Structure formats: structure tokens, C-alpha cells
Amino acid sequence: MIDTPAFQYHSGELNCENVSIMDIISTIGTPFYLYSAARLEQNYQRFSAAFATLQPRIFYSVKANTNLSILHLLKEKGCGFDIVSGGELFRTLNAGASPAGIVFAGVGKMQAELEFAVKSRIGWFNIESICEAERLNSVAEQSGDVVKVALRLRPDVKAGGHPYLVTGHASSKFGMCPDEGISLIKRAADFPYLELGGVHIHIGSQLADPAATLAAIDVVLDFIATSGLGQLTKTRGKVPLLNIGGGFPVPYHDGVAVTSIEDFAASIISRLQPMAANLNFAIEPGRFLTADIGALILSVQYKKEVDGHCVLVVDGGINALLRPALYDAYHRVLPLTSPKSNEEQLLTSIVGPICESSDVLARNRILPCLKPGDCIAILDTGAYGFTMASNYNSQPRPAEVLVEGKTFRLIRRRETYNDLVADES
Ligand code: LLP
């Protein structure tokens, strides 16, 4: 399997695939997110190969990176899409996705969003409460369509890379407890416009290992067997869908390995393969597909000394990349020119321009002595980077650029001051 990182030094200059990042900067300036199409392709192939035995339907979790060009590339590979809002549905359809390959998850789907999704005839709804079943049933009734539904369960397992990324425990706001699922299935006749056909879980993100997923799968398999869901689907001549969600980890730190996707998949396959004749499978990777395809490219504005160490103020902060402040997330930082072996290295922190003390992108890194005008790449920011950016402090959001082999193109222009006020009076 080809494993070529998106960002590597060539002749001392940091490239994205075969394009010098300095060349892109001289054309469009900073700040911008930069993505590699080849790395996306590799990640998708690697992920599909790892799970191939189960032949799952892959639904890319759009929230990780919603750019139309990224969605389009994935669509071309036959990937489906996991969405959580009407806005994500709109984007996904705009990228040319087939509605049948879309699954709508989310704890708070609003009436208008459900109407849009039913009207668009998407493939699946993952519903999270009996209350939602009632609303979806009435929306589907109005359009005269029967919609396919999976129940999102809260299996009461705890896993995830940060407390904010844990979603499968008993007190989580997500999903329904198995008892609520059983009540819903007992009341199936009350919901004639819902085809109750599957179970969905998503227990957390950046999962350390497959143990919690395996525990959750056990809860779900038991649920399918004992809740009446298996029976219900059989009467329709079908088998239930088991959607195991996303959460597959990526290595953010140099030299700190995470469970490989192949090992993750092997554990899940060994648990589910014996059931393969009686279940269909689905899976929703987000971060795994897009995190390492992207870097945030920033330029140093100011350099100062704080507490005896170097602080670089760059032209994007928590407005451009929220993860370090929100999750204490670590992202590697690379200078655009590779450090020489005899070059002086400094203890350096990278901070943004935002008026918040939390606006620190990287703390206490060893970096060459950078100065105003030099640029840096913040790695592994292709997932949950741009999608969590904001206009805080009235900062326009960064541009997005896609590299394909030797060429690059702007796939979202940088916002302007006019964009900031365009919708206001
Ligand atoms: N499926 C569902 C229902 C989800 O809620 C999510 C992510 C995924 C799939 C994809 O998870 P992934 O494979 O990307 O771990 N903003 C956070 C991550 C929040 C994830 C929310 N749900 C971050 O920056 O780490």
C-alpha cells in the first residue's frame, strides 16, 4: 500500500505533494488550509482495504471537512456521506452525491431539516429518541414516503480522546438507551412511515483502541437479537444494518503510534464476520480520511520574548483552528524551510491574534529561530480545522487550497471584510 505523507521536505523546502508551499504563498498569501488530493485517495483506499471483508457501506462523516471539492473527490470514489444538518445535506447534494448514499445523524434534527431530507429521499435516518421517531413519521407521512431508519443506541461504554469526544456513555446526550429502543420497536405499528431497519452507534472520536467499540458491538448484537428488530426486518425479507460509526484514530504526535486502522479493523472483523450472513454493515470515518491531508499555513507577524522563551504571533489563531484551545489538542508545527543540522533551535510557542489567552496553537516547541515574514505549517488539520473556524474578532476565515500532483487550485477563497458584514444591516 502506498503511504506517502502529504507534506514532506524536498530540497529543503516543505512541499504538499509536488508543489512548493512557498509558491502557493507567493500567489495567494496566508492564511490558508492546504489539502492533498493524493493523500485523500490513499487514506480512502487504505480504509476500504482494512474493512473490505465486511463489505461495509462507507459514509464519510462530512463534519470533518465539508469543502465541496473534498466531498466531490470522495463521491467519485463511490463513498457515501454521514451528515448532521440540512446545511451538510445541501453541500453534499451540491457535490453531486447520490441521495441514497446519505445517512442523516444528529441529536437535534429540526422539522425543516427532516422535511428537506425526506424530500431529497436520502438513504437512512439515524434517529435518537422516540420523540424524534414521532416527528419523522409525521414528516414522512406528509410526503407519502416510507423512510429507512436506524436507531442510534447509547451502549453505555466510555471511550474517546478527550472528555468532549466521548459520546457512548449512559449519561450522554446522544442516542437512546437500549430500553427506549425496545419500546420504540414494540410500538413499530405506530410508525407506519418508518422502516425500522438498523442500529447505529458512534461512541466517541480518536478512540485509543477497539476495546470499547467491541463492547458496544456486543450490546448492539444483543439488542438486535432480543429487541424484536431482527424479527421485524426478517418479516420484510431483509437483514438489519449495523452502523458502527466513526472514531478511528490518527497519530498527531511524532513518535507516538496509535492503533493502526488495519489492527482496529481486524478486531472488529473478527467479532462481526461470523454474523456477516445476517447483517449488513456501515461505517462513518471522518478524521481518518481527512486529518492528515491538510495543513494550516500561517505567517509570522511578530516575535517576542515571554518568560525567557520565544513567542511567535501568527496570522491565524482559534478563529482559524479551534482544536488546541477546545481540546488541548496537539498539532505538529513545521517551518517551511527544513532546519539545518547546526541551526540554533529555540523553545517556541505559537499564538494567534485573537484577544483571548486561550489563543495558543502550540506550546513549548523546539523550532528554528523564525522571524516575521517566515511561514509555518500546522499539520493534521484537514479534519475539524476549517469546519470549526469562526469569524471571532471579525477575522475573515482562511482560504482553502487543493493540491493535485503538480498543480494547486483555490477551492474556497479567503473571506473578505465585505463578507463579514454582507448579511447585516
Ligand atoms: N459518526 C458520527 C455520528 C459522529 O458524530 C462523528 C463525529 C463521526 C461519525 C466521525 O468521527 P471521526 O471518525 O471523525 O472520529 N471536533 C472534534 C471531533 C468531533 C467528532 C464529532 N462526531 C475534534 O476536532 O476532534
Side-chain angles (χ1 to χ4, degrees):
M1 180 115 353
I2 310 166
D3 180 19
T4 315
F7 301 94
Q8 284 181 299
Y9 289 106
H10 293 298
S11 314
E13 267 195 48
L14 193 63
N15 277 21
C16 176
E17 297 186 27
N18 295 314
V19 176
S20 150
I21 298 177
M22 276 320 291
D23 286 351
I24 305 176
I25 294 172
S26 55
T27 315
I28 67 153
T30 59
F32 62 93
Y33 275 95
L34 182 58
Y35 309 125
S36 155
R39 186 66 187 180
L40 181 64
E41 161 95 34
Q42 279 173 44
N43 289 347
Y44 185 76
Q45 297 308 343
R46 186 176 164 200
F47 190 88
S48 320
F51 283 97
T53 320
L54 294 178
Q55 296 184 295
R57 183 77 171 104
I58 301 177
F59 297 104
Y60 163 62
S61 194
V62 168
K63 61 180 82 63
N65 186 320
T66 52
N67 188 287
L68 287 181
S69 294
I70 300 295
L71 300 182
H72 185 76
L73 286 173
L74 286 167
K75 183 219 101 172
E76 293 291 285
K77 294 175 206 332
C79 188
F81 297 98
D82 153 46
I83 57 158
V84 287
S85 68
E88 286 190 353
L89 174 56
F90 184 77
R91 280 183 173 281
T92 310
L93 293 174
N94 249 275
S98 142
I102 297 175
V103 54
F104 191 178
V107 69
K109 304 178 197 77
M110 286 166 271
Q111 176 86 13
E113 293 181 313
L114 289 177
E115 286 169 2
F116 179 24
V118 168
K119 200 172 81 202
S120 305
R121 297 177 183 263
I122 67 162
W124 283 89
F125 291 82
N126 292 336
I127 65 167
E128 304 215 6
S129 63
I130 292 183
C131 197
E132 186 185 339
E134 286 164 353
R135 183 183 264 186
L136 179 57
N137 188 65
S138 87
V139 170
E141 180 174 10
Q142 274 156 33
S143 74
D145 289 317
V146 174
V147 298
K148 279 195 283 187
V149 167
L151 313 188
R152 177 166 180 179
L153 290 188
R154 202 162 61 222
D156 194 12
V157 298
K158 216 167 183 177
H162 181 275
Y164 296 170
L165 305 184
V166 173
T167 52
H169 51 300
S171 56
S172 162
K173 74 167 183 172
F174 295 100
M176 56 185 101
C177 64
D179 282 349
E180 186 174 346
I182 291 170
S183 308
L184 178 53
I185 288 161
K186 282 206 180 104
R187 289 184 48 199
D190 295 344
F191 306 112
Y193 291 90
L194 306 187
E195 181 182 322
L196 302 178
V199 181
H200 171 235
I201 48 171
H202 172 75
I203 59 167
S205 207
Q206 188 67 0
L207 303 170
D209 58 53
T213 305
L214 295 175
I217 285 173
D218 285 345
V219 172
V220 171
L221 292 176
D222 181 60
F223 178 86
I224 291 172
T226 60
S227 64
L229 182 70
Q231 212 40 46
L232 201 63
T233 46
K234 206 168 176 184
T235 55
R236 291 193 212 101
K238 293 191 175 167
V239 297
L241 178 77
L242 168 47
N243 180 340
I244 64 169
F248 309 100
V250 302
Y252 283 106
H253 290 76
D254 265 332
V256 181
V258 297
T259 308
S260 73
I261 199 65
E262 290 76 15
D263 287 350
F264 221 109
S267 306
I268 292 173
I269 290 168
S270 69
R271 188 66 53 97
L272 289 179
Q273 180 61 13
M275 262 70 76
N278 302 314
L279 288 173
N280 287 327
F281 302 108
I283 196 159
E284 301 172 337
R287 188 188 314 269
F288 184 85
L289 295 184
T290 52
D292 70 3
I293 73 165
L296 174 61
I297 311 299
L298 299 169
S299 69
V300 177
Q301 304 296 307
Y302 299 103
K303 176 176 183 164
K304 50 205 243 181
E305 198 186 294
V306 178
D307 272 350
H309 87 262
C310 173
V311 170
L312 300 176
V313 186
V314 293
D315 56 354
I318 51 173
N319 58 309
L321 178 66
L322 185 59
R323 301 194 74 255
L326 190 58
Y327 314 116
D328 206 14
Y330 180 97
H331 287 271
R332 289 175 289 154
V333 178
L334 293 182
L336 292 199
T337 311
S338 75
K340 321 240 169 342
S341 55
N342 56 352
E343 199 173 335
E344 189 195 2
Q345 307 265 311
L346 293 178
L347 192 63
T348 303
S349 290
I350 311 282
V351 306
I354 301 299
C355 296
E356 296 275 348
S357 295
S358 62
D359 188 26
V360 178
L361 296 180
R363 282 179 207 280
N364 300 335
R365 306 298 175 82
I366 304 293
L367 285 170
C369 185
L370 298 173
K371 55 184 187 318
D374 289 340
C375 292
I376 55 167
I378 315 245
L379 297 194
D380 306 316
T381 49
Y384 308 110
F386 185 89
T387 52
M388 294 176 75
S390 77
N391 290 125
Y392 188 38
N393 280 197
S394 286
Q395 291 285 356
R397 283 180 295 172
E400 291 177 287
V401 176
L402 180 68
V403 166
E404 291 170 292
K406 291 194 164 96
T407 61
F408 69 90
R409 65 188 163 94
L410 197 60
I411 56 171
R412 182 183 167 109
R413 64 166 174 80
R414 189 172 303 118
E415 286 177 343
T416 63
Y417 290 149
N418 275 328
D419 292 327
L420 295 179
V421 296
D423 300 322
E424 298 175 23
S425 62

